[in-house]
Amino acid sequence: MVCSDYEVLITGFVDGELDGEQSQRLMSHLKDCATCRKELERVKIIKKALDMVAIRTPEDEFWDGYWAGIYNRLERNTGWIFLILGAVVLCSGGSLLFLRNVLFADDTPVWVAVGGVFAIIGIIMLLVSLIRERVRINRHERYKDVRR
Ligand SMILES: [Zn+2]
């Protein structure tokens, strides 16, 4: 084998891909050949430089997390908005139907009408407080990720 044949072995050695027999063959050649020892050092340096380029910087990960966080929050907030809108539509529509068809029907007993009105007031209060809670949490979350 001539020196150029060892180039592949040197690259493989640096990448840790040689089997025992191959690296033994390379080692015994390196003992007698300064040219290939130099080549080994050169390939090692190149590999180190490539590794450094390949390593992701902490800033990359910060920005990835940053955008993922914004996306998650956007998604969750949108989910909440739809849920609340749906609940408002269903509750107000249902309440109107309930008022018209049950509470103010001629044959509805008074206690059913009173109970129904209380239930509707309770649902509306719960909805309002749910919306207020979400608005308050959103205002908090906006500053949660700010670095101090
Ligand atoms: Zn050589």
Side-chain angles (χ1 to χ4, degrees), residues 96-115:
L96 282 177
L97 279 180
F98 186 69
L99 281 172
R100 204 185 59 200
N101 294 338
V102 180
L103 296 192
F104 299 132
D106 293 336
D107 53 351
T108 301
V110 174
W111 64 270
V112 171
V114 170

Side-chain angles (χ1 to χ4, degrees), residues 1-4 6 10 29-30 32-37:
M1 265 174 99
V2 292
C3 281
S4 60
Y6 286 99
I10 287 171
H29 176 74
L30 286 176
D32 316 315
C33 180
T35 314
C36 285
R37 279 202 297 273

Side-chain angles (χ1 to χ4, degrees), residues 5-53:
D5 293 331
Y6 286 99
E7 274 173 25
V8 180
L9 286 184
I10 287 171
T11 313
F13 177 75
V14 171
D15 289 337
E17 282 164 1
L18 295 193
D19 60 33
E21 189 265 327
Q22 285 171 318
S23 48
Q24 236 167 30
R25 192 154 23 112
L26 177 65
M27 286 307 143
S28 66
H29 176 74
L30 286 176
K31 254 183 240 160
D32 316 315
C33 180
T35 314
C36 285
R37 279 202 297 273
K38 243 186 198 159
E39 175 67 9
L40 176 65
E41 289 314 306
R42 202 179 64 87
V43 172
K44 271 184 184 169
I45 288 167
I46 290 172
K47 168 143 171 72
K48 214 180 252 175
L50 284 179
D51 283 350
M52 256 149 67
V53 172

